[in-house]
Amino acid sequence: MDKCCKDLEECESYLLELNLLLRSMEVLHRTYSAPAITALQASSYDIPKKEKRPRRWRSKNSGKETKATLQVYDVPSCISSKSPRLHASNPNLSTTESNTNTSLLKSSRNLQGNLFILNRKICFIFLVTGFISFRQDCSGSPQSLVHQVSNESRASIPESISEFFDAQEYLLSSSSSENEVSDDDSYISDVSDSVSMDTCSNEGGISSVITLSRRRSTLPSPSPTSSVSLWNILRNNIGKDLSKVAMPVQLNEPLNTLQRLCEELEYSKLLDTANKTQDPYQRMAYIATFAISAYASTFHRAASKPFNPVLGETYECDRPDKGFRFIAEQVSHHPPVSACHSDSKNFTFWQDVRWKNKFWGKSMEIVPMGTTHVTLPAFGDHYEWNKVTSCIHNILSGQRWIEHYGEMTIKNINSNVCQCKVTFVKAKSWNSTVNEIEGVVTDSNGKVVHSIFGKWHESLFQGDPPSATCIWRANTMPVDQEQYYGFTQFAVELNELDSTLRPHLPPTDTRFRPDQRLLEEGNPEAAEEQKQRIEQLQRERRKVLQDNNMAHQPRFFKKSKDDTWVSNDTYWELRKDLGFSKFDFPVLW
């Protein structure tokens, strides 16, 4: 045990080194690949000096290794507030800039090499202590894989080690072409590397083939300052359904309600884990945690509302890096109904959402209706649950904040082995108890098997304190999220549209919507003009349907026997070989 503790202490110090190393690589990447780094931005990536690095336990043979890794914390001299701006949209770099790029590339390769060495040290320690095994991938080459750590094991691991297991692994190659600048990306405001993982399995286990894709890390423009008086808009609508009240675009965020539904899948890995969990009670705990995590992205979003989809509007999100694909469609206008469907090798997720908004003077209440469904193919489970009431406080003055309250009941309709009840606690005022949830997983006799507690915007724990283990923690928010509508990194990526994706989308996809795009680009005046034009087109289409005694027929969803909307399983088939070009879609904007 003493030897194991020492090994883990050494590994913890390596993890601290790894964190600093990754920050150094981020500085290099951001300087080399596109965005300009101002002196203010560069200060946020200050690298700790060598003498301030924490002391760590060393083995007899670690002296040379430590010396070899110290160099990675030295930021290249080319990264400073005086260095020339490098941008992907400027292919004609000067000689100085070219030399700078060469220096950056060499530094990047040095960092990647040191990253590989440090990663091997960490893997070796985990191998010795039993946390890593070596498997073979589909081609027969060895791959190091981190085991799924049980809740009991996590409880005995230092917090920094536990967080290591939650982090994604990156495979970086010094010969990668990722650092090459392309003129085609000049319209992207900022990009970051995200990992796309395609898996193949064999008798030895599962190994991952990792590919890198570029996704933006911020919006093109910060949110504009709004001068709209909410009181002038809402004073005549107290107690009414606000879904029928036209709101100015300045109150919106540059995302659509259909995209908001996709945000509920940000933590879809919980469903992946559930589909690999044998214990039905623990599976239910993961399902409940996923249902709660759907509210996490709303915490910083009380200041604005999403765009209302027009009838027939669609949205797709294909994320091989997360292992799922998603489609959504606005299937009804009055009452507003949004339907969505997502599939993965580990789960199927679908729902149709109907809601009513009511303004009560100081607050606005959002009452959802409908049921959310998830099936797990490994066990034949079919879970369903309801959503809770949401309320935005201080709607007219003061600091706006959002609250969710009510009881959520989760059932497996294919088995009565267990069920779960989650209570979103209603706060009496803004205090330390706000955003709390309490949940229990019970057996068929009502006996509590697992308990869940925590805050829906921060983290959730399973068990009883002080021995409870963290089952979920919200992703870190971008540092400048206040300036960009309070978006998470996942939300930032939802409305991104590049030239490779454009020809594969139907013309009804939200990313083609001009008013939302203009708001994202920081032009609310033009966005308001487009919004009014789009709403007028919708009224005209509705009048044509009424005059001809016709009803709108959704393209990708159909009504089921219980009057809910489900996918008709045609979207992805039509998407193949540019199949959408063969259909006559209505002109929505």
Side-chain angles (χ1 to χ4, degrees), residues 133-186:
S133 69
F134 280 85
R135 307 280 179 87
Q136 286 190 334
D137 64 11
C138 299
S139 63
S141 58
Q143 294 285 332
S144 62
L145 299 176
V146 180
H147 280 314
Q148 279 288 344
V149 182
S150 65
N151 293 329
E152 293 79 4
S153 300
R154 279 182 180 269
S156 63
I157 301 174
E159 182 178 358
S160 60
I161 303 296
S162 178
E163 290 176 356
F164 173 78
F165 283 100
D166 294 330
Q168 279 189 318
E169 296 184 42
Y170 287 81
L171 179 63
L172 299 176
S173 170
S174 60
S175 62
S176 171
S177 61
E178 184 66 22
N179 291 326
E180 295 178 4
V181 181
S182 170
D183 298 342
D184 294 335
D185 295 329
S186 60

Short mmCIF file of all heavy atoms in Angstrom, two decimals, residues 133-186:
data_model
loop_
_atom_site.label_atom_id
_atom_site.label_comp_id
_atom_site.label_asym_id
_atom_site.label_seq_id
_atom_site.Cartn_x
_atom_site.Cartn_y
_atom_site.Cartn_z
N SER A 133 -4.74 -1.73 -18.50
CA SER A 133 -4.36 -3.00 -19.12
C SER A 133 -4.02 -2.73 -20.57
O SER A 133 -4.41 -1.71 -21.12
CB SER A 133 -5.51 -4.01 -19.05
OG SER A 133 -6.57 -3.62 -19.87
N PHE A 134 -3.26 -3.63 -21.17
CA PHE A 134 -2.91 -3.46 -22.57
C PHE A 134 -3.74 -4.42 -23.40
O PHE A 134 -3.82 -5.60 -23.12
CB PHE A 134 -1.41 -3.70 -22.79
CG PHE A 134 -0.58 -2.53 -22.43
CD1 PHE A 134 -0.18 -2.33 -21.12
CD2 PHE A 134 -0.24 -1.59 -23.39
CE1 PHE A 134 0.58 -1.23 -20.77
CE2 PHE A 134 0.53 -0.49 -23.04
CZ PHE A 134 0.94 -0.32 -21.73
N ARG A 135 -4.39 -3.86 -24.42
CA ARG A 135 -5.20 -4.65 -25.33
C ARG A 135 -4.62 -4.50 -26.73
O ARG A 135 -3.73 -3.69 -26.99
CB ARG A 135 -6.65 -4.15 -25.32
CG ARG A 135 -7.26 -4.07 -23.92
CD ARG A 135 -7.73 -5.44 -23.43
NE ARG A 135 -8.28 -5.35 -22.08
CZ ARG A 135 -9.54 -5.07 -21.82
NH1 ARG A 135 -10.38 -4.82 -22.80
NH2 ARG A 135 -9.98 -5.03 -20.58
N GLN A 136 -5.16 -5.24 -27.64
CA GLN A 136 -4.76 -5.12 -29.03
C GLN A 136 -5.89 -4.53 -29.83
O GLN A 136 -7.05 -4.87 -29.61
CB GLN A 136 -4.39 -6.48 -29.60
CG GLN A 136 -3.04 -6.99 -29.10
CD GLN A 136 -2.61 -8.21 -29.86
OE1 GLN A 136 -3.44 -8.93 -30.38
NE2 GLN A 136 -1.31 -8.43 -29.95
N ASP A 137 -5.57 -3.63 -30.74
CA ASP A 137 -6.60 -3.07 -31.61
C ASP A 137 -6.86 -4.04 -32.76
O ASP A 137 -6.34 -5.14 -32.82
CB ASP A 137 -6.21 -1.67 -32.10
CG ASP A 137 -4.97 -1.70 -32.97
OD1 ASP A 137 -4.55 -2.81 -33.35
OD2 ASP A 137 -4.44 -0.62 -33.25
N CYS A 138 -7.72 -3.59 -33.67
CA CYS A 138 -8.14 -4.47 -34.76
C CYS A 138 -6.98 -4.89 -35.65
O CYS A 138 -7.05 -5.91 -36.33
CB CYS A 138 -9.22 -3.77 -35.59
SG CYS A 138 -10.69 -3.37 -34.64
N SER A 139 -5.92 -4.11 -35.68
CA SER A 139 -4.78 -4.46 -36.54
C SER A 139 -3.73 -5.27 -35.81
O SER A 139 -2.74 -5.67 -36.39
CB SER A 139 -4.14 -3.17 -37.09
OG SER A 139 -3.64 -2.40 -36.03
N GLY A 140 -3.95 -5.49 -34.50
CA GLY A 140 -3.00 -6.30 -33.74
C GLY A 140 -1.96 -5.49 -32.99
O GLY A 140 -1.17 -6.03 -32.24
N SER A 141 -1.95 -4.16 -33.14
CA SER A 141 -0.98 -3.34 -32.43
C SER A 141 -1.48 -3.04 -31.04
O SER A 141 -2.68 -2.91 -30.81
CB SER A 141 -0.74 -2.02 -33.19
OG SER A 141 -1.95 -1.33 -33.33
N PRO A 142 -0.58 -2.92 -30.05
CA PRO A 142 -1.01 -2.72 -28.68
C PRO A 142 -1.60 -1.33 -28.47
O PRO A 142 -1.15 -0.37 -29.05
CB PRO A 142 0.27 -2.90 -27.87
CG PRO A 142 1.37 -2.58 -28.83
CD PRO A 142 0.88 -3.02 -30.17
N GLN A 143 -2.63 -1.28 -27.63
CA GLN A 143 -3.26 -0.02 -27.26
C GLN A 143 -3.44 0.00 -25.75
O GLN A 143 -3.83 -0.99 -25.16
CB GLN A 143 -4.64 0.13 -27.92
CG GLN A 143 -4.62 0.24 -29.42
CD GLN A 143 -4.17 1.60 -29.87
OE1 GLN A 143 -4.36 2.57 -29.17
NE2 GLN A 143 -3.55 1.68 -31.03
N SER A 144 -3.13 1.14 -25.11
CA SER A 144 -3.36 1.25 -23.67
C SER A 144 -4.75 1.81 -23.43
O SER A 144 -5.12 2.81 -24.02
CB SER A 144 -2.33 2.16 -23.03
OG SER A 144 -2.41 3.45 -23.55
N LEU A 145 -5.51 1.15 -22.59
CA LEU A 145 -6.89 1.53 -22.35
C LEU A 145 -7.11 1.73 -20.87
O LEU A 145 -6.74 0.88 -20.06
CB LEU A 145 -7.86 0.45 -22.86
CG LEU A 145 -7.81 0.16 -24.35
CD1 LEU A 145 -8.76 -0.99 -24.67
CD2 LEU A 145 -8.20 1.39 -25.13
N VAL A 146 -7.75 2.83 -20.51
CA VAL A 146 -8.09 3.07 -19.11
C VAL A 146 -9.36 2.30 -18.78
O VAL A 146 -10.35 2.41 -19.48
CB VAL A 146 -8.33 4.58 -18.86
CG1 VAL A 146 -8.68 4.82 -17.41
CG2 VAL A 146 -7.07 5.35 -19.22
N HIS A 147 -9.32 1.51 -17.73
CA HIS A 147 -10.50 0.74 -17.33
C HIS A 147 -11.59 1.67 -16.83
O HIS A 147 -11.32 2.74 -16.30
CB HIS A 147 -10.16 -0.22 -16.19
CG HIS A 147 -9.48 -1.48 -16.67
ND1 HIS A 147 -9.94 -2.20 -17.74
CD2 HIS A 147 -8.39 -2.14 -16.20
CE1 HIS A 147 -9.16 -3.25 -17.92
NE2 HIS A 147 -8.21 -3.22 -17.01
N GLN A 148 -12.84 1.26 -16.98
CA GLN A 148 -13.94 1.93 -16.30
C GLN A 148 -13.74 1.75 -14.81
O GLN A 148 -13.60 0.63 -14.31
CB GLN A 148 -15.30 1.34 -16.71
CG GLN A 148 -15.81 1.86 -18.02
CD GLN A 148 -16.27 3.30 -17.91
OE1 GLN A 148 -16.48 3.79 -16.81
NE2 GLN A 148 -16.41 3.98 -19.01
N VAL A 149 -13.70 2.83 -14.08
CA VAL A 149 -13.45 2.75 -12.65
C VAL A 149 -14.77 2.71 -11.91
O VAL A 149 -15.65 3.54 -12.15
CB VAL A 149 -12.63 3.98 -12.18
CG1 VAL A 149 -12.33 3.88 -10.70
CG2 VAL A 149 -11.34 4.05 -12.98
N SER A 150 -14.93 1.77 -11.04
CA SER A 150 -16.17 1.65 -10.28
C SER A 150 -16.28 2.78 -9.29
O SER A 150 -15.31 3.46 -8.95
CB SER A 150 -16.21 0.32 -9.53
OG SER A 150 -15.19 0.28 -8.55
N ASN A 151 -17.49 3.02 -8.79
CA ASN A 151 -17.71 4.06 -7.80
C ASN A 151 -16.87 3.80 -6.55
O ASN A 151 -16.34 4.72 -5.93
CB ASN A 151 -19.18 4.14 -7.43
CG ASN A 151 -20.01 4.64 -8.58
OD1 ASN A 151 -19.53 5.42 -9.39
ND2 ASN A 151 -21.26 4.20 -8.67
N GLU A 152 -16.74 2.52 -6.16
CA GLU A 152 -15.97 2.19 -4.98
C GLU A 152 -14.50 2.53 -5.19
O GLU A 152 -13.83 3.04 -4.29
CB GLU A 152 -16.11 0.71 -4.64
CG GLU A 152 -17.53 0.30 -4.19
CD GLU A 152 -18.49 0.14 -5.35
OE1 GLU A 152 -18.04 0.25 -6.50
OE2 GLU A 152 -19.68 -0.08 -5.10
N SER A 153 -13.99 2.25 -6.41
CA SER A 153 -12.58 2.54 -6.69
C SER A 153 -12.35 4.04 -6.72
O SER A 153 -11.34 4.53 -6.23
CB SER A 153 -12.17 1.93 -8.03
OG SER A 153 -12.33 0.52 -8.00
N ARG A 154 -13.29 4.78 -7.30
CA ARG A 154 -13.12 6.23 -7.41
C ARG A 154 -13.03 6.87 -6.03
O ARG A 154 -12.34 7.85 -5.84
CB ARG A 154 -14.30 6.86 -8.17
CG ARG A 154 -14.17 6.74 -9.68
CD ARG A 154 -15.35 7.43 -10.33
NE ARG A 154 -15.27 7.33 -11.77
CZ ARG A 154 -14.70 8.24 -12.54
NH1 ARG A 154 -14.13 9.28 -12.01
NH2 ARG A 154 -14.67 8.09 -13.85
N ALA A 155 -13.77 6.32 -5.08
CA ALA A 155 -13.79 6.91 -3.75
C ALA A 155 -12.42 6.89 -3.11
O ALA A 155 -12.10 7.73 -2.27
CB ALA A 155 -14.79 6.18 -2.86
N SER A 156 -11.56 5.94 -3.50
CA SER A 156 -10.24 5.81 -2.90
C SER A 156 -9.15 6.49 -3.70
O SER A 156 -8.00 6.49 -3.32
CB SER A 156 -9.89 4.32 -2.74
OG SER A 156 -9.83 3.70 -4.01
N ILE A 157 -9.51 7.10 -4.84
CA ILE A 157 -8.53 7.75 -5.70
C ILE A 157 -8.52 9.24 -5.41
O ILE A 157 -9.57 9.85 -5.26
CB ILE A 157 -8.88 7.52 -7.18
CG1 ILE A 157 -8.89 6.02 -7.48
CG2 ILE A 157 -7.88 8.21 -8.09
CD1 ILE A 157 -9.36 5.71 -8.87
N PRO A 158 -7.34 9.88 -5.32
CA PRO A 158 -7.31 11.34 -5.14
C PRO A 158 -8.11 12.03 -6.22
O PRO A 158 -8.21 11.55 -7.34
CB PRO A 158 -5.80 11.66 -5.27
CG PRO A 158 -5.10 10.37 -4.93
CD PRO A 158 -6.02 9.28 -5.39
N GLU A 159 -8.66 13.21 -5.89
CA GLU A 159 -9.58 13.90 -6.81
C GLU A 159 -8.94 14.17 -8.16
O GLU A 159 -9.56 13.99 -9.19
CB GLU A 159 -10.04 15.22 -6.18
CG GLU A 159 -11.02 15.97 -7.05
CD GLU A 159 -11.51 17.24 -6.40
OE1 GLU A 159 -11.12 17.49 -5.27
OE2 GLU A 159 -12.28 17.96 -7.04
N SER A 160 -7.65 14.58 -8.15
CA SER A 160 -7.00 14.89 -9.43
C SER A 160 -6.86 13.65 -10.29
O SER A 160 -6.94 13.70 -11.50
CB SER A 160 -5.63 15.51 -9.17
OG SER A 160 -4.81 14.61 -8.44
N ILE A 161 -6.66 12.47 -9.66
CA ILE A 161 -6.57 11.23 -10.41
C ILE A 161 -7.93 10.86 -10.98
O ILE A 161 -8.07 10.43 -12.12
CB ILE A 161 -6.06 10.09 -9.50
CG1 ILE A 161 -4.71 10.48 -8.89
CG2 ILE A 161 -5.93 8.80 -10.27
CD1 ILE A 161 -3.62 10.65 -9.89
N SER A 162 -8.97 11.06 -10.17
CA SER A 162 -10.33 10.77 -10.63
C SER A 162 -10.70 11.61 -11.82
O SER A 162 -11.30 11.14 -12.79
CB SER A 162 -11.33 11.00 -9.49
OG SER A 162 -12.63 10.76 -9.93
N GLU A 163 -10.30 12.89 -11.79
CA GLU A 163 -10.60 13.76 -12.91
C GLU A 163 -9.86 13.32 -14.16
O GLU A 163 -10.32 13.52 -15.27
CB GLU A 163 -10.22 15.21 -12.56
CG GLU A 163 -11.15 15.81 -11.50
CD GLU A 163 -10.71 17.20 -11.08
OE1 GLU A 163 -9.64 17.64 -11.56
OE2 GLU A 163 -11.42 17.83 -10.30
N PHE A 164 -8.68 12.69 -13.97
CA PHE A 164 -7.92 12.21 -15.13
C PHE A 164 -8.73 11.19 -15.92
O PHE A 164 -8.72 11.17 -17.14
CB PHE A 164 -6.60 11.60 -14.66
CG PHE A 164 -5.82 10.92 -15.76
CD1 PHE A 164 -5.09 11.67 -16.66
CD2 PHE A 164 -5.83 9.54 -15.90
CE1 PHE A 164 -4.37 11.06 -17.68
CE2 PHE A 164 -5.13 8.93 -16.91
CZ PHE A 164 -4.39 9.70 -17.79
N PHE A 165 -9.46 10.32 -15.23
CA PHE A 165 -10.23 9.30 -15.92
C PHE A 165 -11.39 9.91 -16.69
O PHE A 165 -11.85 9.35 -17.66
CB PHE A 165 -10.78 8.27 -14.91
CG PHE A 165 -9.73 7.31 -14.44
CD1 PHE A 165 -9.11 7.48 -13.23
CD2 PHE A 165 -9.34 6.24 -15.23
CE1 PHE A 165 -8.15 6.58 -12.80
CE2 PHE A 165 -8.38 5.34 -14.81
CZ PHE A 165 -7.78 5.51 -13.58
N ASP A 166 -11.87 11.07 -16.22
CA ASP A 166 -13.00 11.71 -16.89
C ASP A 166 -12.56 12.48 -18.12
O ASP A 166 -13.38 12.87 -18.94
CB ASP A 166 -13.72 12.68 -15.93
CG ASP A 166 -14.37 11.93 -14.80
OD1 ASP A 166 -14.75 10.76 -15.02
OD2 ASP A 166 -14.49 12.48 -13.70
N ALA A 167 -11.28 12.75 -18.27
CA ALA A 167 -10.80 13.57 -19.38
C ALA A 167 -10.66 12.75 -20.64
O ALA A 167 -10.38 11.56 -20.61
CB ALA A 167 -9.44 14.20 -19.02
N GLN A 168 -10.86 13.39 -21.80
CA GLN A 168 -10.67 12.70 -23.07
C GLN A 168 -9.18 12.57 -23.34
O GLN A 168 -8.38 13.41 -22.98
CB GLN A 168 -11.31 13.49 -24.21
CG GLN A 168 -12.80 13.28 -24.32
CD GLN A 168 -13.31 13.92 -25.60
OE1 GLN A 168 -12.92 15.00 -25.96
NE2 GLN A 168 -14.19 13.22 -26.28
N GLU A 169 -8.81 11.46 -24.00
CA GLU A 169 -7.42 11.26 -24.37
C GLU A 169 -7.21 11.78 -25.79
O GLU A 169 -8.03 11.59 -26.67
CB GLU A 169 -7.07 9.77 -24.30
CG GLU A 169 -7.15 9.20 -22.90
CD GLU A 169 -6.71 7.76 -22.87
OE1 GLU A 169 -5.71 7.45 -23.53
OE2 GLU A 169 -7.38 6.96 -22.22
N TYR A 170 -6.08 12.44 -25.99
CA TYR A 170 -5.77 12.97 -27.30
C TYR A 170 -4.52 12.27 -27.86
O TYR A 170 -3.52 12.11 -27.17
CB TYR A 170 -5.49 14.47 -27.22
CG TYR A 170 -6.73 15.28 -26.99
CD1 TYR A 170 -7.26 15.39 -25.70
CD2 TYR A 170 -7.39 15.90 -28.04
CE1 TYR A 170 -8.41 16.12 -25.48
CE2 TYR A 170 -8.53 16.63 -27.82
CZ TYR A 170 -9.03 16.75 -26.53
OH TYR A 170 -10.17 17.46 -26.32
N LEU A 171 -4.61 11.86 -29.09
CA LEU A 171 -3.47 11.25 -29.77
C LEU A 171 -2.97 12.24 -30.80
O LEU A 171 -3.64 12.53 -31.78
CB LEU A 171 -3.90 9.94 -30.44
CG LEU A 171 -2.80 9.21 -31.22
CD1 LEU A 171 -1.69 8.79 -30.26
CD2 LEU A 171 -3.39 7.99 -31.90
N LEU A 172 -1.79 12.77 -30.54
CA LEU A 172 -1.24 13.81 -31.41
C LEU A 172 -0.06 13.26 -32.18
O LEU A 172 0.83 12.61 -31.62
CB LEU A 172 -0.81 15.01 -30.56
CG LEU A 172 -1.93 15.68 -29.76
CD1 LEU A 172 -1.34 16.78 -28.89
CD2 LEU A 172 -2.98 16.24 -30.69
N SER A 173 -0.02 13.54 -33.45
CA SER A 173 1.08 13.08 -34.29
C SER A 173 1.87 14.27 -34.79
O SER A 173 1.32 15.26 -35.24
CB SER A 173 0.52 12.28 -35.48
OG SER A 173 1.54 12.03 -36.41
N SER A 174 3.19 14.16 -34.69
CA SER A 174 4.03 15.28 -35.14
C SER A 174 3.97 15.45 -36.65
O SER A 174 4.32 16.50 -37.18
CB SER A 174 5.48 15.03 -34.71
OG SER A 174 5.97 13.83 -35.29
N SER A 175 3.49 14.44 -37.36
CA SER A 175 3.39 14.54 -38.82
C SER A 175 2.00 14.91 -39.27
O SER A 175 1.69 14.89 -40.44
CB SER A 175 3.78 13.20 -39.45
OG SER A 175 2.90 12.17 -39.03
N SER A 176 1.13 15.27 -38.29
CA SER A 176 -0.26 15.58 -38.62
C SER A 176 -0.32 16.84 -39.47
O SER A 176 0.46 17.76 -39.33
CB SER A 176 -1.07 15.78 -37.33
OG SER A 176 -2.35 16.28 -37.64
N SER A 177 -1.31 16.88 -40.36
CA SER A 177 -1.51 18.06 -41.21
C SER A 177 -2.48 19.03 -40.58
O SER A 177 -2.90 19.99 -41.20
CB SER A 177 -2.03 17.63 -42.58
OG SER A 177 -3.28 16.96 -42.44
N GLU A 178 -2.83 18.78 -39.31
CA GLU A 178 -3.82 19.64 -38.64
C GLU A 178 -3.36 21.08 -38.53
O GLU A 178 -4.13 22.00 -38.49
CB GLU A 178 -4.08 19.09 -37.22
CG GLU A 178 -5.16 19.84 -36.43
CD GLU A 178 -6.52 19.68 -37.07
OE1 GLU A 178 -6.73 18.72 -37.82
OE2 GLU A 178 -7.37 20.54 -36.83
N ASN A 179 -2.01 21.28 -38.49
CA ASN A 179 -1.49 22.63 -38.32
C ASN A 179 -1.42 23.42 -39.61
O ASN A 179 -1.01 24.57 -39.61
CB ASN A 179 -0.09 22.56 -37.69
CG ASN A 179 -0.14 22.09 -36.25
OD1 ASN A 179 -1.10 22.38 -35.55
ND2 ASN A 179 0.86 21.34 -35.83
N GLU A 180 -1.77 22.80 -40.72
CA GLU A 180 -1.70 23.51 -41.99
C GLU A 180 -2.85 24.49 -42.12
O GLU A 180 -4.00 24.16 -41.85
CB GLU A 180 -1.73 22.51 -43.14
CG GLU A 180 -0.51 21.59 -43.17
CD GLU A 180 -0.60 20.58 -44.29
OE1 GLU A 180 -1.57 20.67 -45.07
OE2 GLU A 180 0.28 19.73 -44.38
N VAL A 181 -2.55 25.70 -42.53
CA VAL A 181 -3.55 26.76 -42.63
C VAL A 181 -4.27 26.67 -43.96
O VAL A 181 -3.65 26.48 -45.00
CB VAL A 181 -2.88 28.13 -42.46
CG1 VAL A 181 -3.92 29.23 -42.54
CG2 VAL A 181 -2.13 28.20 -41.13
N SER A 182 -5.60 26.81 -43.93
CA SER A 182 -6.39 26.73 -45.16
C SER A 182 -7.16 28.01 -45.38
O SER A 182 -7.74 28.57 -44.46
CB SER A 182 -7.37 25.54 -45.07
OG SER A 182 -8.28 25.58 -46.14
N ASP A 183 -7.17 28.50 -46.61
CA ASP A 183 -7.93 29.70 -46.92
C ASP A 183 -9.42 29.48 -46.78
O ASP A 183 -10.17 30.41 -46.55
CB ASP A 183 -7.63 30.15 -48.36
CG ASP A 183 -6.15 30.51 -48.53
OD1 ASP A 183 -5.50 30.72 -47.49
OD2 ASP A 183 -5.69 30.56 -49.68
N ASP A 184 -9.87 28.24 -46.92
CA ASP A 184 -11.30 27.96 -46.88
C ASP A 184 -11.89 28.19 -45.50
O ASP A 184 -13.09 28.27 -45.34
CB ASP A 184 -11.57 26.50 -47.29
CG ASP A 184 -11.21 26.26 -48.74
OD1 ASP A 184 -11.22 27.23 -49.51
OD2 ASP A 184 -10.93 25.11 -49.07
N ASP A 185 -11.03 28.30 -44.48
CA ASP A 185 -11.53 28.46 -43.12
C ASP A 185 -11.52 29.91 -42.67
O ASP A 185 -11.66 30.20 -41.50
CB ASP A 185 -10.68 27.62 -42.15
CG ASP A 185 -10.82 26.14 -42.42
OD1 ASP A 185 -11.90 25.71 -42.87
OD2 ASP A 185 -9.84 25.42 -42.17
N SER A 186 -11.39 30.84 -43.59
CA SER A 186 -11.26 32.24 -43.20
C SER A 186 -12.51 32.78 -42.55
O SER A 186 -12.46 33.76 -41.82
CB SER A 186 -10.92 33.09 -44.44
OG SER A 186 -11.95 32.97 -45.40
#
